[in-house]
Amino acid sequence: MSSHPAVPTLCAVCGHADSEHWLQGPDRFHGRKEIYQLERCSSCLTVRLERPPEPAQMYLHYGPEYDRFIGRAGDSPERWNDRRQAISNYKTGGALLDLGCSSGAFLETLKGASWTLSGIEMSEGAAKQAGARSGAEVFVGDILDAPFAPSSFDVITCFDVLEHVYEPRKVMEKVRQWLKPGGIFYTLVPNIECGEARIFKSYWYGLELPRHLSHFSPRSLRHLAESVGLTVASLETHRNSAMENSLHYMGDTALDRIGFPRAPLATAKMPGIPWKVTRKLLRWTVFLAFYHLTPAFGPGESIHAVFQAPRIPESSS
């Protein structure tokens, strides 16, 4: 073991090193034992992963099991309807860029004469699908390497992506640069101050250690946006419960302690009919009661935020 003290990770939002211990936990999704530390920045209140995996090694913490599990969750039409409606409160057409557009499910819903669509996606295969299904121009690679010109977009969207990036402030600076005057940035991230996070702590599914590198609250997300010159147009928390997965993690630990380990969530088999019936009964009773109880411990599990670039001031007459 090294005799030198570990060098603290600087906050990727504000650059400060001062922080307080938040919690620690393993990658429960894959059932791994390595413990990760989370620290909360004393300045901007962003919760960050201390000493995250190197970017070149991060793929080891995703993998096909993760992709299948996320894909199994599906994308309901209501999900995209809600997001299109949120955008329409500010813009009804123009140039739109989706950060982390995946295979283009959201972009496809905007296909038409009103929008000129673009995306950024790390996976070449997913980027090709996105372009084919939506007609979008999709850049393959890191957000910070995308070559879009300043003031290119009326709308930039970023759904469940900002928490995965290594340099969220630099990404936000790019967003500010790419937005036209008066353009909006619409982002969704998990809420580290939600009721379920406070109840389940390291078992909260939304932690996604070590895949989530930054964990935001409404306050810290506001700080990040305002630090690059964006203003808050809307900042809300919504319910997006992951209670069943969090309880699954707790069950894994309990069974392992008494000598009956089971497959982690990543490789768990699809439930049979008896368990499906039992789960439905639980959803109608215990889970439903718990769902209505969690708001007493904190706000919703997902932050929905719309930030706006400054408008060009009108010239004085």
Side-chain angles (χ1 to χ4, degrees):
M1 181 178 294
S2 173
S3 60
H4 298 288
V7 177
T9 306
L10 297 180
C11 177
V13 170
C14 69
H16 282 71
D18 293 340
S19 62
E20 59 181 358
H21 177 69
W22 188 256
L23 58 76
Q24 62 182 28
D27 178 355
R28 300 191 188 279
F29 179 75
H30 287 107
R32 296 169 181 166
K33 302 301 183 183
E34 181 179 356
I35 299 297
Y36 298 96
Q37 306 285 340
L38 289 178
E39 301 283 320
R40 186 171 75 164
C41 177
S42 301
S43 176
C44 70
L45 305 181
T46 303
V47 176
R48 65 178 184 262
L49 179 63
E50 278 287 289
R51 291 177 288 281
E54 293 294 325
Q57 301 299 313
M58 185 56 90
Y59 75 96
L60 298 172
H61 302 282
Y62 288 90
E65 296 90 358
Y66 180 83
D67 294 338
R68 281 195 296 269
F69 188 84
I70 296 300
R72 216 160 50 217
D75 289 321
S76 66
E78 292 78 14
R79 178 186 185 189
W80 302 128
N81 289 342
D82 290 346
R83 296 179 191 186
R84 289 200 313 274
Q85 179 60 47
I87 291 170
S88 70
N89 293 331
Y90 303 91
K91 305 286 182 180
T92 56
L96 181 144
L97 170 66
D98 189 25
L99 307 183
C101 65
S102 188
S103 59
F106 171 65
L107 288 174
E108 185 178 26
T109 68
L110 296 172
K111 187 176 181 181
S114 298
W115 294 99
T116 301
L117 302 174
S118 301
I120 299 176
E121 173 54 42
M122 290 289 290
S123 165
E124 184 174 1
K128 288 181 178 179
Q129 290 183 54
R133 69 194 291 185
S134 69
E137 173 193 353
V138 182
F139 171 79
V140 180
D142 189 275
I143 292 170
L144 298 179
D145 295 329
F148 300 113
S151 301
S152 291
F153 300 103
D154 299 280
V155 177
I156 299 177
T157 56
C158 183
F159 304 137
D160 303 307
V161 170
L162 195 60
E163 63 272 21
H164 292 266
V165 304
Y166 280 85
E167 298 179 287
R169 180 181 170 85
K170 288 186 178 180
V171 169
M172 196 68 86
E173 289 172 343
K174 278 287 189 181
V175 167
R176 170 68 180 86
Q177 180 184 15
W178 288 333
L179 281 175
K180 296 179 182 179
I184 64 165
F185 176 53
Y186 177 24
T187 186
L188 275 63
V189 295
N191 178 17
I192 192 64
E193 292 185 349
C194 72
E196 288 189 11
R198 289 171 173 166
I199 292 169
F200 289 112
K201 300 186 185 303
S202 72
Y203 293 93
W204 182 46
Y205 175 75
L207 286 181
E208 280 282 9
L209 298 171
R211 290 167 292 280
H212 288 184
L213 305 177
S214 300
H215 302 265
F216 298 98
S217 66
R219 290 179 295 173
S220 62
L221 187 61
R222 175 193 290 268
H223 183 283
L224 173 58
E226 291 180 343
S227 71
V228 301
L230 299 174
T231 58
V232 176
S234 174
L235 185 59
E236 304 173 340
T237 61
H238 293 192
R239 297 305 308 271
N240 185 27
S241 177
M243 178 177 57
E244 289 186 35
N245 291 336
S246 301
L247 289 171
H248 192 287
Y249 289 162
M250 296 183 77
D252 287 348
T253 299
L255 289 171
D256 186 63
R257 286 176 177 170
I258 61 175
F260 294 97
R262 65 175 175 178
L265 197 58
T267 55
K269 295 180 179 179
M270 294 293 289
I273 293 177
W275 169 240
K276 286 182 179 179
V277 173
T278 302
R279 185 173 63 182
K280 183 166 287 189
L281 291 173
L282 288 171
R283 284 175 174 172
W284 288 345
T285 56
V286 176
F287 292 170
L288 183 61
F290 192 85
Y291 178 83
H292 289 296
L293 175 66
T294 52
F297 293 85
E301 298 82 18
S302 179
I303 304 172
H304 291 232
V306 178
F307 301 109
Q308 192 161 33
R311 298 180 185 274
I312 296 176
E314 296 181 6
S315 59
S316 57
S317 55

